[in-house]
Amino acid sequence: MAEVNLDKKDFKILRWLDREGDIDVDEVSDELGISTSTVYYRLDKYRKQGILSGTVSKIDAHELGLELTAITEIRSTYGPGYDEIGEELTDISGVQTVYFMLGDKSFTVIAHLRDHDHLQEYIDDIIHTDGVEHSSTQIVLQTFKDESRLLVNYDDEDLEALIESG
């Protein structure tokens, strides 16, 4: 991991990008009172450091017709081969996130699915994945928070601590 040194101006820019989800250099410059050349320079620095990549629009899964959100905990064979199992899980249709875990479960998988038929296909694909010993799938009834943006999840005090530790 490269060393990342960020100052208050960096966090102002990153928070704006995180909140707005769009890279409009002129708008960032105007709203934050930072010159456009500084914003361009900082964006280039963030990309080179791996802090920032691409531009993303958030798509609402439910509005798109993906009615079910499934969270699956998986216990798999202990030993080498976790990478292969994880890669196979990422290839299952509807899978958005795969976490390799410490503890009782080996993986946690989050998927957005069309309907009950798609759910059955998803479960079948998981249980037929080599190395999977056991799985348990829960269906989300109500979502209280699903925030993929990073910095909006932290208060100013925690962000200040990041600046001070850098």
Side-chain angles (χ1 to χ4, degrees):
M1 183 172 101
E3 183 176 324
V4 177
N5 261 332
L6 301 174
D7 60 21
K8 289 183 182 192
K9 194 177 287 187
D10 287 313
F11 275 99
K12 283 175 80 172
I13 294 169
L14 289 169
R15 284 185 90 179
W16 190 93
L17 293 170
D18 200 41
R19 182 183 71 241
E20 298 299 322
D22 187 21
I23 299 176
D24 182 330
V25 174
D26 292 328
E27 196 173 335
V28 173
S29 175
D30 289 345
E31 190 171 314
L32 299 180
I34 300 171
S35 73
T36 55
S37 61
T38 298
V39 174
Y40 274 114
Y41 168 78
R42 301 277 176 123
L43 290 174
D44 186 53
K45 177 178 87 168
Y46 306 150
R47 284 190 177 95
K48 286 179 180 172
Q49 292 178 328
I51 296 170
L52 179 66
S53 63
T55 57
V56 177
S57 296
K58 184 167 178 162
I59 297 173
D60 186 302
H62 190 265
E63 291 297 321
L64 192 59
L66 300 168
E67 301 289 329
L68 301 174
T69 299
I71 301 173
T72 304
E73 296 178 322
I74 297 169
R75 187 176 64 237
S76 63
T77 308
Y78 182 76
Y82 281 112
D83 290 342
E84 290 85 8
I85 296 168
E87 289 299 322
E88 283 190 50
L89 294 171
T90 65
D91 290 337
I92 295 172
S93 179
V95 169
Q96 181 176 11
T97 307
V98 177
Y99 296 109
F100 178 58
M101 310 292 291
L102 291 176
D104 294 340
K105 304 300 177 201
S106 307
F107 295 93
T108 298
V109 178
I110 301 170
H112 296 284
L113 308 166
R114 291 183 313 275
D115 52 28
H116 288 92
D117 290 337
H118 193 191
L119 173 64
Q120 186 62 56
E121 292 169 22
Y122 163 79
I123 291 171
D124 289 344
D125 287 344
I126 286 175
I127 62 176
H128 290 106
T129 299
D130 286 338
V132 170
E133 292 179 346
H134 176 78
S135 69
S136 174
T137 300
Q138 294 82 41
I139 301 301
V140 174
L141 292 178
Q142 183 177 1
T143 302
F144 290 96
K145 183 176 183 180
D146 180 15
E147 181 55 69
S148 60
R149 297 174 299 165
L150 182 63
L151 299 179
V152 298
N153 295 304
Y154 296 90
D155 60 29
D156 290 339
E157 184 178 306
D158 286 332
L159 290 175
E160 288 292 326
L162 278 173
I163 294 170
E164 293 167 7
S165 69

